[in-house]
Amino acid sequence: MKCQSLSSFFAGIMIFRTLVLVLAFMVANSTALADQQTYIVHIDKTKIRASIHSQDSSKPWFESIIDSISEASMQEDGEEEILAPQLLYAYETSMFGFAARLSKKHLKYLNQVEGFLSAIPDELSTLHTTYSPQFLGLRNRRELWTASNLANDVIIGVLDSGIWPEHTSFRDSGLSPVPSHWKGVCEKGTKFSSSNCNKKLIGARAYFKGYEKFFGKKINETVDYLSPRDSQGHGTHTASTAAGDMVKNANFLGQGRGTATGMRYTSRIAVYKVCWSSGCTNSDVLAAMDQAVSDGVDVLSLSLGSIPKPFYSDSIAIASFGATQKGVLVACSAGNSGPFPSTVGNGAPWIMTVAASSTDRTFPTKVKLGNGQIFKGSSLYQGKKTTQLPLVYGKSAGSTKEAQYCTGGSLDPKLVHGKIVACERGINGRTEKGEEVKMAGGSGMILLNNEYQGEELFADPHILPATSLGASASKIVRSYSESIKKPTASISFMGTKFRDPAPVMAAFSSRGPSLVGSDVIKPDVTAPGVNILAAWPPKISPSFLKSDKRKVSFNILSGTSMSCPHVSGIAALLKSLHKDWSPAAIKSALMTTAYTLNNKGAPISDMASNDSPLATPFVFGSGHVNPVSASDPGLVYDISTKDYFNYLCNINYTSSQIALLSRSNFVCSRKAFLQAGDLNYPSFAVLFGRSAFNASVTYRRVVTNVGKSQSSYAVKVEQPNGVSVSVEPRKLKFEKLGQKLSYNVTFLATGGGKVGGSSSFGSLIWVSDRYKVRSPIAITWL
């Protein structure tokens, strides 16, 4: 017994020691894991190639770098170094570098690698979340939808949450074989195979390495598909908006019935799934952009982004610059952070930045209060109108502050049962609020806008009788519900209506002036982005609620995510019509032909404001896109790669910062006198000090004749307040197509003492017997 006890004792000690060692290993391993994070590493291509060549290495350049920093770290730390660098992606097309999991020690040795430029921590970007072609004039005037124009093989690359390939919007009937220049593939994955691609959907890939490393866990395949298949609906919606096939009798539960079609419905679609349930990591987005350009896309559409940042640290700006150099136009959403100023994202001058506005199609409702007041709202709810029911303000329907927002569990069923509840927007989703009201026994809901949300009306697929109301009506409803002893209200639903004043700028649409490129007006243009009907996966509820068992083939969404693919599709139309145009020329055509008056002949207004309802170039850029006019703009402002480099020099970027974009050395000229405002952009952003008086600045522009071979233009200027604008020469005479002529514009500050941060606006228009080539002017006093 004693012997057994002794042996058991020593065995226990051995087990204890083993556990201690295992525990120590686990702690060390977890510490090493915590020390590592994903970095996007930028490399000078010329230097690294020379370095690798001198070493006569047979390994790929990125493997050589990874091995060298791993070995150096191991030699310093000996056995303590547990985790080697983990390579995620190599980038060689739209930028040069790689993404990898690195520790601080790895970074130390990476800095010693010849050709190293920078290592930027990976970040999370977010998605910026039928009738449109008719509103844009594509159905009424079919010049751009001729057989010869649509026969060309233009490929639109869509970076988003994937696609539902079986949808009728992606059928390939009548299409010619896949374009010969296409080099992409259709990747296999969860519930997705190569047979899901066809002559319409010609490529599909999924990128998730960065996402999994960012969150430190594998993607949950019960929530998402580890493949290009879409589990969110967003990507399916945007892809069909840009290039979906014509589908007759498309509708959302009977609403908005008509023919759904993409802007260029014969374009081929290549899908790159980069967004998952919690967002999209930059390392994945960069890998997808790099691959898309290599695959052979003509246009890239990105309805995603993050907060504004300098171009040299903005992954999308860097990759877009490389894509533009390869002749690929990149269109991006401006963001949904309006109505606050200087929130516009994706603001690099080589990116087409798209704001969002409404069409004249609405889904109106009528709210009638017990005192007889009537207000117009919006909803997609399909059902009978309510009777006059008791009304309760959410703030009074629960015991917590969250009750006013109708968040989960915040409403008291005793105070809500059988009533219409007025809920504030914010914190949780709009349809989620309705679900909470319904679960608490409520019979209806009114969504209230605050002053910042203005008169913006979303049409949402509510699961109970519900509607949104603008800020002015919401203010009255709040007051009425809290001042009357027994307030009542009713909601009636009026279906689909047309011919409202449009476009109107969405309050959510992000605005300028740009924080990182104030010498360029951003956004560039606006396009339909409010209540847009497009394709939808049948397995995803239209309201995003698990309790909602409805299935639809088309859904209605709002966001700059919806406006961006409109412009991507229109750019594809222009690309097929003008094969030799650069991305900058296409941008110019879309900007200089954009309009600033609505369908009633009045200036475009802004949903965000009651006091000053007119929108400005910091809200809509050059105006609302006009595809037909853009196809024949008369003149274009083209921009070369060198022009962009000079611009970066003039905003005081260092040579190393410029190298992140150029992928090689570019030396700024010390001799040439250039200004940031000399970038040959189709708009003018001018900055003056607030006390400036008689201060002046002169900018140069060059226009290329793409209209009539022999034509004359005279300049017309709409003067901004506080500034005198003069142009020299005042007339331009062209003798042939492709001819370039230059002019100078001088801005003279005549009104000193302006309030810092204030702005005034005007325009410069070159007018011929056939064309009007318009550029907005924005003057800002700093």
Side-chain angles (χ1 to χ4, degrees):
M1 288 294 292
K2 286 184 179 180
C3 196
Q4 286 182 348
S5 299
L6 194 61
S7 61
S8 298
F9 173 74
F10 284 115
I13 290 176
M14 293 299 295
I15 292 171
F16 176 75
R17 286 179 175 175
T18 303
L19 287 172
V20 169
L21 288 171
V22 170
L23 184 60
F25 176 82
M26 291 175 66
V27 169
N29 196 45
S30 63
T31 302
L33 278 170
D35 183 45
Q36 281 199 339
Q37 70 176 102
T38 302
Y39 289 89
I40 297 166
V41 179
H42 296 266
I43 300 293
D44 185 328
K45 183 177 181 179
T46 57
K47 291 183 179 179
I48 199 68
R49 290 294 193 198
S51 174
I52 296 300
H53 181 72
S54 66
Q55 297 173 21
D56 193 27
S57 175
S58 59
K59 293 181 181 179
W61 60 270
F62 47 86
E63 285 188 14
S64 296
I65 295 175
I66 291 292
D67 287 350
S68 68
I69 62 176
S70 179
E71 290 170 9
S73 299
M74 288 290 287
Q75 288 174 6
E76 177 184 338
D77 291 337
E79 297 301 320
E80 293 180 24
E81 184 69 21
I82 297 172
L83 293 179
Q86 300 174 57
L87 179 71
L88 302 184
Y89 299 109
Y91 310 121
E92 297 185 294
T93 306
S94 58
M95 64 161 280
F96 197 81
F98 58 88
R101 295 282 291 180
L102 303 171
S103 68
K104 292 178 181 178
K105 288 189 176 65
H106 296 148
L107 289 176
K108 171 186 172 182
Y109 288 103
L110 184 60
N111 270 277
Q112 299 172 18
V113 172
E114 185 179 4
F116 170 77
L117 293 172
S118 77
I120 301 172
D122 202 4
E123 291 182 342
L124 199 67
S125 293
T126 56
L127 292 166
H128 291 153
T129 196
T130 55
Y131 175 68
S132 305
Q134 184 170 330
F135 183 76
L136 289 165
L138 289 172
R139 286 207 186 114
N140 300 329
R141 299 177 63 189
R142 293 178 176 263
E143 293 96 320
L144 296 183
W145 277 3
T146 61
S148 59
N149 191 22
L150 293 175
N152 291 294
D153 291 325
V154 178
I155 303 169
I156 302 176
V158 181
L159 274 68
D160 213 294
S161 65
I163 195 166
W164 197 266
E166 295 86 0
H167 198 283
T168 54
S169 291
F170 308 121
R171 63 192 173 193
D172 65 353
S173 55
L175 288 179
S176 58
V178 174
S180 59
H181 71 277
W182 176 244
K183 301 180 182 67
V185 299
C186 194
E187 288 183 349
K188 297 178 182 179
T190 309
K191 297 188 177 180
F192 201 97
S193 68
S194 57
S195 63
N196 287 123
C197 289
N198 55 23
K199 291 180 289 185
K200 160 64 75 175
L201 175 61
I202 63 173
R205 299 177 187 263
Y207 295 83
F208 52 85
K209 292 179 183 177
Y211 181 87
E212 289 188 336
K213 293 297 182 183
F214 188 90
F215 287 99
K217 59 182 179 181
K218 296 289 185 180
I219 288 170
N220 184 350
E221 293 190 57
T222 64
V223 176
D224 208 337
Y225 303 99
L226 200 62
S227 73
R229 186 171 291 278
D230 186 7
S231 68
Q232 300 181 54
H234 194 278
T236 301
H237 198 280
T238 57
S240 67
T241 300
D245 191 22
M246 282 191 173
V247 181
K248 294 182 179 179
N249 201 35
N251 64 90
F252 174 80
L253 300 175
Q255 299 267 46
R257 191 179 299 276
T259 299
T261 177
M263 298 301 99
R264 191 181 190 276
Y265 62 89
T266 59
S267 284
R268 317 308 174 106
I269 298 170
V271 165
Y272 300 84
K273 184 176 178 179
V274 295
C275 297
W276 307 84
S277 59
S278 296
C280 340
T281 56
N282 287 345
S283 56
D284 291 335
V285 172
L286 273 174
M289 293 181 74
D290 199 60
Q291 187 63 58
V293 175
S294 179
D295 285 345
V297 302
D298 300 292
V299 176
L300 274 172
S301 186
L302 286 79
S303 292
L304 54 90
S306 58
I307 60 173
K309 56 177 71 69
F311 307 139
Y312 58 79
S313 62
D314 184 334
S315 295
I316 292 177
I318 293 170
S320 296
F321 190 81
T324 301
Q325 287 179 292
K326 300 282 186 179
V328 177
L329 183 139
V330 182
C332 294
S333 48
N336 298 339
S337 299
F340 305 105
S342 297
T343 50
V344 63
N346 296 319
W350 46 88
I351 293 175
M352 188 79 190
T353 312
V354 189
S357 47
S358 67
T359 70
D360 68 340
R361 181 182 66 187
T362 58
F363 306 93
T365 63
K366 184 172 70 175
V367 174
K368 184 178 181 180
L369 301 182
N371 60 10
Q373 288 183 290
I374 296 175
F375 305 103
K376 180 182 176 182
S378 184
S379 179
L380 293 174
Y381 177 75
Q382 287 291 90
K384 296 179 180 180
K385 67 178 183 180
T386 70
T387 57
Q388 204 72 18
L389 296 171
L391 172 67
V392 60
Y393 183 28
K395 187 177 180 180
S396 305
S399 58
T400 65
K401 292 182 179 179
E402 286 74 23
Q404 63 182 316
Y405 296 102
C406 301
T407 57
S410 65
L411 300 176
D412 186 342
K414 295 178 181 178
L415 302 174
V416 168
H417 183 75
K419 298 178 181 179
I420 292 175
V421 183
C423 304
E424 298 286 351
R425 275 178 58 186
I427 298 182
N428 56 339
R430 298 186 298 273
T431 55
E432 288 179 56
K433 297 176 189 295
E435 182 180 44
E436 289 301 321
V437 171
K438 187 175 182 178
M439 289 174 63
S443 297
M445 179 185 67
I446 298 173
L447 270 173
L448 305 177
N449 278 10
N450 61 36
E451 59 178 319
Y452 297 111
Q453 292 147 354
E455 300 308 309
E456 181 175 76
L457 296 176
F458 288 110
D460 291 314
H462 296 288
I463 59 173
L464 83 170
T467 181
S468 59
L469 283 182
S472 56
S474 296
K475 185 176 181 180
I476 295 171
V477 169
R478 287 187 199 96
S479 175
Y480 169 75
S481 64
E482 292 189 301
S483 61
I484 302 297
K485 190 173 182 180
K486 292 184 178 181
T488 63
S490 64
I491 309 171
S492 55
F493 306 91
M494 303 165 69
T496 307
K497 302 293 181 182
F498 296 90
R499 292 184 290 278
D500 263 26
V504 181
M505 294 307 301
F508 62 74
S509 189
S510 292
R511 288 115 199 279
S514 171
L515 285 175
V516 295
S518 56
D519 301 283
V520 172
I521 296 176
K522 286 288 180 172
D524 291 309
V525 292
T526 187
V530 177
N531 300 332
I532 303 302
L533 179 77
W536 196 250
K539 291 192 176 182
I540 303 172
S541 78
S543 63
F544 300 98
L545 301 174
K546 291 183 179 180
S547 64
D548 184 2
K549 304 304 179 184
R550 294 175 296 179
K551 294 183 179 181
V552 297
S553 296
F554 293 87
N555 200 6
I556 292 175
L557 300 179
S558 296
T560 53
S561 281
M562 283 64 253
S563 58
C564 174
H566 279 87
V567 173
S568 305
I570 295 167
L573 278 170
L574 300 188
K575 183 80 172 178
S576 61
L577 190 63
H578 303 286
K579 300 177 186 62
D580 59 337
W581 279 13
S582 68
I586 293 173
K587 273 188 66 176
S588 173
L590 288 166
M591 291 171 67
T592 60
T593 59
Y595 58 85
T596 59
L597 301 178
N598 67 17
N599 56 354
K600 309 296 181 182
I604 293 175
S605 59
D606 188 354
M607 295 180 193
S609 177
N610 281 325
D611 300 329
S612 180
L614 298 186
T616 73
F618 286 152
V619 183
F620 57 52
S622 294
H624 194 283
V625 287
N626 185 338
V628 175
S629 296
S631 68
D632 185 21
L635 305 174
V636 294
Y637 295 78
D638 211 350
I639 305 176
S640 68
T641 298
K642 186 177 179 181
D643 292 333
Y644 286 126
F645 285 154
N646 286 331
Y647 167 76
L648 296 173
C649 291
N650 293 320
I651 59 174
N652 299 318
Y653 277 20
T654 65
S655 57
S656 60
Q657 289 168 343
I658 294 174
L660 292 173
L661 293 149
S662 67
R663 296 175 292 162
S664 61
N665 288 327
F666 178 82
V667 180
C668 295
S669 173
R670 294 182 179 181
K671 296 180 180 179
F673 176 73
L674 295 171
Q675 309 162 89
D678 284 325
L679 180 68
N680 204 40
Y681 215 70
S683 60
F684 297 90
V686 184
L687 309 175
F688 283 120
R690 70 182 72 179
S691 59
F693 184 73
N694 284 336
S696 68
V697 63
T698 299
Y699 295 148
R700 181 176 182 267
R701 290 292 188 272
V702 177
V703 287
T704 304
N705 182 23
V706 296
K708 295 168 62 177
S709 57
Q710 294 187 334
S711 53
S712 297
Y713 290 81
V715 72
K716 176 185 176 183
V717 177
E718 296 174 351
Q719 303 276 353
N721 290 333
V723 172
S724 173
V725 182
S726 59
V727 182
E728 183 62 37
R730 296 190 61 81
K731 290 186 178 181
L732 298 174
K733 187 175 182 179
F734 294 91
E735 300 295 338
K736 60 182 179 179
L737 289 174
Q739 183 179 356
K740 298 178 184 290
L741 293 176
S742 65
Y743 67 92
N744 293 323
V745 190
T746 299
F747 304 91
L748 175 66
T750 58
K754 290 285 185 177
V755 176
S758 63
S759 301
S760 63
F761 305 95
S763 64
L764 184 155
I765 311 169
W766 287 104
V767 182
S768 74
D769 58 350
R770 179 175 174 178
Y771 302 104
K772 289 185 177 180
V773 185
R774 180 183 177 278
S775 295
I777 299 171
I779 310 293
T780 301
W781 281 268
L782 301 176

